Amino acid sequence: MTPHPRPGERVRPTPTLGSHPALFVFDPLPILRALRAGPDVIDIHEEPFALVTAEVLLLRWLSGCRAPFILYTAQNLEKRYPVPFRWFERFALGRAAGLSACNREAARISRRKGLRSSARVIPLGIDLSTFTPGPPRAAGEAITVGFVGRLVPEKGILVLLDALAHDRRLRARIAGGGPLGTTLPAEITQRGLSERVELVGSIDSADVVAFYHSVDVMAVPSIARPGWTEQFGRVAVEAMACGVPVVASDAGALPDVVAGAGIIVAEGDSVALADALVRASTIEADELRERGRARAAECSWDAVARDYLALYEEASKPAAWASRAGSDTPST
């Protein structure tokens, strides 16, 4: 939405009030200036129910700007929000000229909740110049499984430990921090895995690629919980871009994200996970690496930019939003 900066001009972020993802608002003055500059399309990259979405739409109305707007959603669980947030959601979806969703179920939910324009499933982007394959790993009897994520039950870390206990060929490098960090050593000892599990701790983003290069296969064994499921699973795409085979559970958006480029197992099934980890790193490894790199290319920033450009072009066509332009006045 912000006008293009002049060459050499530094763009400063707009100040915000609040930090909750659904409850913050922008300083209205920079937003008003941007709206009065006459954008062609407004991209509100926030959930339709969010307070900041309502703020931008109110400022759009107050400024007299009638440019079409598009929304973003990752919410792949159908939720009924309290008033006034469900009013915000209904108003925004009913008047949007388009919507980008990072998973298919989020797009379907938006349609059921009143979206009348087009919805495109656009993956979260990754930098393929950063996430690149490493040197070939030496083949051996031991198989090193990687895990990167928060150490919480819903990420399936205990399921991964159970999988390791099923097959002595499996070892693991576990990176991340979280509530289970204090109890994980005891869980590892209880399963007799002390010699086969390395707890790396939290790692900097600059070290993530080296971590991927240090493992034979990546595990993304998430488990859906009431009120939560995986909305994308960026670690799977990053690993595939680095030439590492991926095994993921079928929780939430993971099957869509992996998209046939990895092995999907039922969430919580440690036996199936163990078997898939062995297959992915041995007999299916070469095929999965090739398919994984192809899938990662679909999530490159260039590919994502093309998807958004197509969405903007579609949204800017009069037919996409003219029928809703006459009913822009905020209401409940």
Side-chain angles (χ1 to χ4, degrees):
M1 183 182 68
T2 304
H4 292 298
R6 292 184 293 273
E9 180 182 3
R10 185 173 182 178
V11 178
R12 288 176 294 182
T14 300
T16 61
L17 177 63
S19 58
H20 188 282
L23 299 177
F24 78 94
V25 293
F26 287 118
D27 176 352
L29 293 181
I31 305 300
L32 280 170
R33 285 196 295 268
L35 290 167
R36 287 168 179 162
D40 297 310
V41 178
I42 304 167
D43 184 348
I44 307 175
H45 204 80
E46 302 292 341
E47 291 286 348
F49 63 83
L51 183 60
V52 70
T53 299
E55 179 202 18
V56 173
L57 293 180
L58 176 62
L59 294 174
R60 171 179 175 266
W61 177 65
L62 291 173
S63 71
C65 175
R66 292 298 177 262
F69 66 89
I70 66 170
L71 303 168
Y72 167 81
T73 183
Q75 184 52 263
N76 55 344
L77 294 175
E78 194 149 357
K79 297 180 179 181
R80 179 175 171 82
Y81 301 104
V83 170
F85 299 99
R86 67 169 173 261
W87 293 344
F88 299 160
E89 181 180 55
R90 184 173 64 202
F91 179 87
L93 288 172
R95 290 158 179 79
L99 174 139
S100 68
C102 70
N103 62 71
R104 296 181 186 278
E105 186 58 25
R108 286 192 284 262
I109 289 171
S110 295
R111 183 75 67 191
R112 291 196 293 268
K113 286 189 170 187
L115 178 71
R116 292 184 286 166
S117 54
S118 65
R120 283 179 175 264
V121 179
I122 302 177
L124 302 183
I126 64 167
D127 184 352
L128 292 187
S129 67
T130 297
F131 295 96
T132 59
R137 287 179 52 79
E141 183 178 346
I143 297 167
T144 303
V145 181
F147 174 95
V148 177
R150 293 199 68 228
L151 302 183
V152 291
E154 56 266 32
K155 287 296 185 177
I157 186 65
L158 298 181
V159 178
L160 175 59
L161 294 183
D162 289 339
L164 266 61
H166 287 301
D167 195 313
R168 294 193 59 82
R169 289 171 292 179
L170 298 174
R171 310 175 68 85
R173 301 193 75 218
I174 296 173
L180 289 181
T182 56
T183 60
L184 208 52
E187 297 281 359
I188 292 168
T189 300
Q190 180 182 341
R191 291 166 175 80
L193 300 174
S194 298
E195 300 300 317
R196 291 195 280 139
V197 177
E198 177 187 1
L199 296 178
V200 178
S202 298
I203 56 176
D204 294 334
S205 57
D207 299 323
V208 171
V209 172
F211 180 89
Y212 292 140
H213 292 169
S214 73
V215 301
D216 298 305
V217 58
M218 279 296 297
V220 191
S222 300
I223 302 173
R225 301 291 192 195
W228 181 90
T229 193
E230 286 286 2
Q231 295 181 333
F232 189 73
R234 190 193 295 268
V235 64
V237 180
E238 291 177 350
M240 288 189 288
C242 290
V244 181
V246 169
V247 176
S249 76
D250 59 358
L254 289 176
D256 283 348
V257 171
V258 174
I263 299 178
I264 298 295
V265 299
E267 60 179 276
D269 190 335
S270 59
V271 176
L273 178 60
D275 176 68
L277 290 169
V278 172
R279 288 190 288 117
S281 56
T282 54
I283 59 176
E284 298 183 36
D286 291 340
E287 181 182 356
L288 290 177
R289 290 189 189 102
E290 182 177 352
R291 282 157 44 189
R293 288 193 293 270
R295 173 56 179 155
E298 297 174 348
C299 302
S300 70
W301 283 119
D302 286 345
V304 168
R306 288 192 294 270
D307 287 341
Y308 270 103
L309 180 59
L311 180 60
Y312 296 154
E313 289 175 341
E314 184 175 351
S316 63
K317 294 176 181 177
W321 62 283
S323 63
R324 296 179 288 281
S327 56
D328 276 347
T329 303
S331 65
T332 59

